[in-house]
């Protein structure tokens, strides 16, 4: 059985939790927008933490045959991977509070 976007999103959520990201959340955004079915959010605690988590994410994507349509480039505090039917955002605490993606994505949280 092939994995779907929901399966991949749950795996990413688990990866972020295992890597000690804070406030890890998965949102089901079906019928809410046109850019993704799921969004995974996590908060990193330092630049070295971010680098380690990013390496784990990139390795996981490679192992699962996922080629993101966009990767973080010249990012400062918000790191974003667009994987088609799901997106991944890693932010520092201040950016997470400022951008408040939880309100943008709605109260459709399905796991944390």
């Amino acid at each position: 059985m092939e994995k779907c976007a929901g399966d991949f999103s749950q795996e990413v959520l688990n990866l972020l939790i295992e890597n000690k990201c804070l406030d890890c959340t998965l949102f089901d955004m079906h019928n809410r927008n046109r850019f993704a079915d799921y969004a995974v959010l996590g908060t990193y605690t330092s630049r070295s933490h971010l680098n380690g988590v990013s390496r784990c994410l990139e390795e996981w994507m490679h192992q699962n045959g996922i080629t993101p349509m966009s990767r973080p480039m010249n990012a400062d505090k918000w790191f974003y991977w667009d994987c088609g039917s799901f997106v991944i955002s890693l932010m520092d605490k201040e950016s997470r509070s400022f951008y408040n993606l939880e309100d943008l994505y709605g109260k459709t949280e399905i796991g944390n």
Side-chain angles (χ1 to χ4, degrees), residues 20-38:
K20 310 293 188 227
C21 289
L22 306 175
D23 302 320
C24 300
T25 310
L26 172 59
F27 290 89
D28 181 345
M29 300 191 309
H30 284 88
N31 304 318
R32 296 190 58 83
N33 66 65
R34 294 184 181 176
F35 71 89
D37 292 331
Y38 297 92

Side-chain angles (χ1 to χ4, degrees), residues 4-92:
C4 67
D7 297 328
F8 286 133
S9 298
Q10 186 64 53
E11 287 182 22
V12 170
L13 177 71
N14 294 338
L15 187 144
L16 296 184
I17 292 169
E18 289 168 11
N19 281 275
K20 310 293 188 227
C21 289
L22 306 175
D23 302 320
C24 300
T25 310
L26 172 59
F27 290 89
D28 181 345
M29 300 191 309
H30 284 88
N31 304 318
R32 296 190 58 83
N33 66 65
R34 294 184 181 176
F35 71 89
D37 292 331
Y38 297 92
V40 185
L41 303 178
T43 302
Y44 65 88
T45 58
S46 68
R47 195 63 158 185
S48 59
H49 183 219
L50 169 68
N51 291 339
V53 175
S54 294
R55 279 193 302 276
C56 288
L57 279 171
E58 292 286 341
E59 182 179 312
W60 176 85
M61 287 180 215
H62 178 73
Q63 291 172 349
N64 284 281
I66 296 170
T67 303
M69 293 184 276
S70 69
R71 285 185 163 91
M73 297 186 69
N74 300 321
D76 185 29
K77 296 178 182 241
W78 181 357
F79 296 79
Y80 179 84
W81 291 262
D82 181 346
C83 299
S85 56
F86 67 98
V87 297
I88 306 164
S89 291
L90 290 178
M91 307 170 99
D92 67 6

